[in-house]
Amino acid sequence: MRAITYDRFGGADVLKLTDLPTPKVGPDSVLIRVRASSVNPVDWKVREGYLAEIMDTVFPVIPGWDVAGVVEQVGLDTPEFQVGDEVFGYVRKDVVGGEVAGGTFAELVAAPVRTVARKPASWSFEEAAAAPLAGLTAYQTIRRAGVQSGHTVLVHAAAGGVGSFAVQIARSLGARVIGTASETNHDYLRSLGAEPITYGDGVGARVRALAPEGVDVVLDYVGGDALDSVTEVLREGGTVASITDARARDEFGGHYVWVRPDSADLAELARLGDTGELKPEIAEVFDLADAAGAHERSESGHVRGKVVVRVSA
Ligand SMILES: NC(=O)c1ccc[n+]([C@@H]2O[C@H](COP(=O)([O-])OP(=O)(O)OC[C@H]3O[C@@H](n4cnc5c(N)ncnc54)[C@H](OP(=O)(O)O)[C@@H]3O)[C@@H](O)[C@H]2O)c1
């Protein structure tokens, strides 16, 4: 099968198109014929070696954790799926790389069933590939923070991969959403039902101008100085969740979240997809052979929604 691999940490130029044997399919895994994958910032952080202290790496590594495709072979005990099922998943394994732990920038990937769910019928494979990691991150942070109908929620980096899902999920729960983004993304945020504001100096005052009583929940999807305004914008009894800054938990008594593969949560994203409440935003689609271009686009830090990689037609 064709796959993108790298055999040392480094820049996007370490990514190469290679031929590899078909992966083995463990007893609780399914083999997926990959139609599309997508890029998450963690992919290039792993490629640079930033996660080497917390996850073992075995070279060569096939990058990519998001997948949408069709089940080609089932494992010894996988009653959840049949050959031919259209699925999507966040196929993060416990080890990065190696023959047993290949990623999704490949024509075939073996995926433990806990990482996969049925693809929503109303999404294309490319849309479905955009959703797993970022959508699960949004969904799991929103659940941990306890967002409810009637809440006012501040979403930092609301136009990004995670933020664009979070805005839609929070809106589906009946929350009012204020989202930070640069001016170029304000109309997009309005189209999702959010009230846009620019980030940077004075962001706390801009939030207070829209919500004088403060917000119930702050969701931080960018890090840096985003949490500096927490005490200024959060109302009494409100809470904060971050995916990039442990101060949310350690300093502000909220939540620091690391997304987990979860087939039930994926099924909930699919349900929201099919009701029309959740729609992945795709900034650009790259061919598998241009994986380096896809990584570089994500590294720009200003993608609206997701960068998708088309693997097969
Ligand atoms: N802990 C976890 O489980 C977990 C899971 C997923 C992601 N992450 C991390 O969370 C971060 C976001 O992930 P992502 O996939 O959403 O990234 P992304 O799609 O690359 O984010 C891009 C977005 O960030 C916005 N942005 C850039 N600087 C900003 C700022 N200072 N304030 C507000 N918005 C800003 C951009 O908006 P403009 O173009 O309008 O500037 C753009 O829409 C990454 O660091 C990623 O590694 C962690």
Side-chain angles (χ1 to χ4, degrees), residues 41-42 45 133 137 157 159-163 180-182 185 199 221-222 243-244 257-259 298 301-305:
V42 73
K45 293 178 187 178
L133 190 156
T137 306
V162 179
T180 69
S182 62
N185 284 318
Y199 49 81
Y221 299 133
V222 65
I243 58 172
T244 54
V257 178
W258 239 92
V259 59
S298 169
H302 293 284
V303 172
R304 176 190 296 172

Side-chain angles (χ1 to χ4, degrees), residues 32-38 65-71 85-91 104 106-107 109 116-117 119-120 123-132 308-312:
I32 299 172
R33 171 73 53 185
V34 181
R35 297 286 296 271
S37 181
S38 77
W65 287 339
D66 276 335
V67 70
V70 179
V71 174
D85 283 347
E86 297 188 347
V87 294
F88 72 137
Y90 163 39
V91 192
T104 57
E107 288 175 327
V109 66
V116 190
K119 177 181 94 59
W123 288 353
S124 67
F125 283 102
E126 288 168 6
E127 287 170 328
V308 165
V309 171
R310 187 187 300 114
V311 177
S312 64

